[in-house]
Amino acid sequence: MISDGHISLSLSDDAMAAYLTLRPHGIDQNLLSFEEVQQVLTEQGVIEGVHWERVRSAVQACTASTAVIRNLLIAKGRKPLPKIPEHLVFHPRIKELDPLFRFGEVRDEDGDFHQPESQGELSIDYRSKSSVFIVQKGMVLAIRRPEKDGEFGATVKGEMVPYQTLSSPVLTPGSNLMEENGKIICQVDGRLVWNEKSFGVSRVLEIGGDVGYATGNIRFPGDLVLKGRIQDRFSVWVGGDIRAAMTLDCWDVYCAGNLLVNEGIIGRGKALLRVKGNIQGKFIENCHVDVLGSIKVLTGILNCELYSNHELHSGDRGKLMGGLLMVRDLLDTFSLGNSVGLATRVFLGYDFV
């Protein structure tokens, strides 16, 4: 609409915004006034969300410079706020993992989330990003929020805009989680797992390929199932068992549980393997090994510096050749040493710790 040929007011299609265009009078005519613009807005019924200071500034600028001001946003409607059923608000870092965790975030604050003091020690030190999210015992993963009523909106003409009722995805807390005073708390160290119906914490990390640049150095508090290899210069520190489907290419491996290898263990340069439990595999080559439990191999051990605080078994046809072997309780092998001059030093009955 144009009033007196110099004031134009237009509305958006949904009437949630109003725009003002001002065209100055000629030199010999009266200047535009703030009151004229007020009258046009009143006649058009624009009463909601008007930014009057912006209107006043636009009138002053137009009359001072005689410049045309086009499509200036001078009023905004009030958007409705949806009705939100009872739902869970997730930890800010969890929200980044999947849209399932971001329900209701437009109306909710993150709440009282915290991590245990030692959280920084339990991580996957990735050289590239990964979707694995490590959690620690005592960490608050989500907070249950009660239902929130919706709020009506309004157009710039004051007309009511109805609100919607959101449909909440029902994510049920699962394994290794407990709810206390509306907070979902992790009960063990592990990794977050989820699907469309539930979420929980798993003590097992499964890596389908190699440990390398796609995963980075692994530091995991539970068990590791490794279906690939460990690339050169990458380390693996695990608080539980390690089960390796292929040959374990060792550079720096620490296992607080048992190490079970379907094939063998091959060291790389100054490779270091430390195991609190037992080691079982086909062979061990060119590696420094510290193990508090027993070692059982099928074919033998070659050129290793190996320390065991229990027993060493190398099978019915197993051979122990080269390096240093220190075993506290029992050494059981088919062949010890070799005929080509490769020195094999053996110490029995010593507690290497």
Side-chain angles (χ1 to χ4, degrees), residues 70-136:
R70 294 184 173 88
N71 296 323
L72 176 67
L73 178 63
I74 51 98
K76 292 181 67 175
R78 186 175 70 257
K79 292 184 178 181
L81 294 178
K83 180 179 179 180
I84 302 178
E86 181 183 281
H87 63 288
L88 293 175
V89 177
F90 286 87
H91 188 285
R93 287 189 59 196
I94 296 178
K95 287 183 179 181
E96 301 172 2
L97 302 177
D98 194 298
L100 283 171
F101 299 125
R102 296 198 286 269
F103 175 82
E105 65 180 3
V106 294
R107 295 196 58 188
D108 250 312
E109 299 179 355
D110 289 331
D112 182 23
F113 292 101
H114 72 276
Q115 298 181 7
E117 293 182 359
S118 60
Q119 176 67 19
E121 300 175 3
L122 296 175
S123 64
I124 293 187
D125 182 20
Y126 278 14
R127 299 186 188 182
S128 61
K129 293 182 179 178
S130 171
S131 61
V132 177
F133 182 65
I134 304 299
V135 296
Q136 193 175 9

Side-chain angles (χ1 to χ4, degrees), residues 124 126 132-135 175-176 188-194 200-208 218-227 238-244:
I124 293 187
Y126 278 14
V132 177
F133 182 65
I134 304 299
V135 296
S175 58
N176 297 316
V188 298
D189 301 331
R191 68 184 181 99
L192 183 70
V193 293
W194 70 92
V201 177
S202 174
R203 291 281 297 168
V204 179
L205 172 63
E206 182 173 315
I207 298 180
I218 303 298
R219 294 177 66 91
F220 185 68
D223 298 336
L224 172 65
V225 176
L226 178 61
K227 296 184 177 180
V238 173
D241 296 340
I242 296 178
R243 300 180 184 90

Side-chain angles (χ1 to χ4, degrees), residues 37-52:
V37 178
Q38 274 186 312
Q39 182 178 354
V40 172
L41 266 64
T42 300
E43 291 175 354
Q44 293 300 307
V46 176
I47 58 174
E48 179 74 30
V50 180
H51 198 305
W52 292 110

Side-chain angles (χ1 to χ4, degrees), residues 122-174:
L122 296 175
S123 64
I124 293 187
D125 182 20
Y126 278 14
R127 299 186 188 182
S128 61
K129 293 182 179 178
S130 171
S131 61
V132 177
F133 182 65
I134 304 299
V135 296
Q136 193 175 9
K137 183 178 180 179
M139 182 177 176
V140 177
L141 303 186
I143 298 176
R144 192 174 298 280
R145 298 296 193 198
E147 179 182 287
K148 283 195 172 184
D149 293 332
E151 296 181 11
F152 289 98
T155 67
V156 294
K157 290 189 172 185
E159 298 168 340
M160 184 178 65
V161 179
Y163 60 80
Q164 296 179 334
T165 299
L166 298 183
S167 177
S168 171
V170 181
L171 290 179
T172 305

Side-chain angles (χ1 to χ4, degrees), residues 118-321:
S118 60
Q119 176 67 19
E121 300 175 3
L122 296 175
S123 64
I124 293 187
D125 182 20
Y126 278 14
R127 299 186 188 182
S128 61
K129 293 182 179 178
S130 171
S131 61
V132 177
F133 182 65
I134 304 299
V135 296
Q136 193 175 9
K137 183 178 180 179
M139 182 177 176
V140 177
L141 303 186
I143 298 176
R144 192 174 298 280
R145 298 296 193 198
E147 179 182 287
K148 283 195 172 184
D149 293 332
E151 296 181 11
F152 289 98
T155 67
V156 294
K157 290 189 172 185
E159 298 168 340
M160 184 178 65
V161 179
Y163 60 80
Q164 296 179 334
T165 299
L166 298 183
S167 177
S168 171
V170 181
L171 290 179
T172 305
S175 58
N176 297 316
L177 298 177
M178 64 172 292
E179 184 167 351
E180 185 178 289
N181 298 325
K183 296 181 179 180
I184 311 301
I185 302 173
C186 182
Q187 293 184 291
V188 298
D189 301 331
R191 68 184 181 99
L192 183 70
V193 293
W194 70 92
N195 54 39
E196 294 181 354
K197 296 182 179 180
S198 65
F199 66 101
V201 177
S202 174
R203 291 281 297 168
V204 179
L205 172 63
E206 182 173 315
I207 298 180
D210 292 351
V211 174
Y213 286 100
T215 62
N217 299 319
I218 303 298
R219 294 177 66 91
F220 185 68
D223 298 336
L224 172 65
V225 176
L226 178 61
K227 296 184 177 180
R229 301 179 183 272
I230 301 176
Q231 296 180 9
D232 194 19
R233 306 282 173 168
F234 284 87
S235 63
V236 174
W237 287 47
V238 173
D241 296 340
I242 296 178
R243 300 180 184 90
M246 303 176 65
T247 298
L248 188 71
D249 301 299
C250 179
W251 166 254
D252 177 23
V253 175
Y254 172 79
C255 175
N258 298 315
L259 174 60
L260 307 174
V261 184
N262 286 352
E263 299 297 329
I265 301 169
I266 298 178
R268 295 171 178 264
K270 298 180 179 180
L272 178 60
L273 171 62
R274 290 167 290 172
V275 179
K276 278 190 173 183
N278 303 316
I279 296 178
Q280 182 175 324
K282 289 184 177 180
F283 59 86
I284 306 177
E285 296 180 3
N286 303 310
C287 192
H288 179 113
V289 180
D290 293 338
V291 55
L292 295 183
S294 298
I295 301 174
K296 184 177 181 180
V297 293
L298 295 179
T299 60
I301 298 174
L302 173 65
N303 197 29
C304 289
E305 187 173 332
L306 184 149
Y307 302 86
S308 170
N309 252 17
H310 197 31
E311 299 178 351
L312 170 57
H313 300 268
S314 65
D316 294 338
R317 305 293 295 178
K319 299 180 180 181
L320 306 180
M321 294 185 295

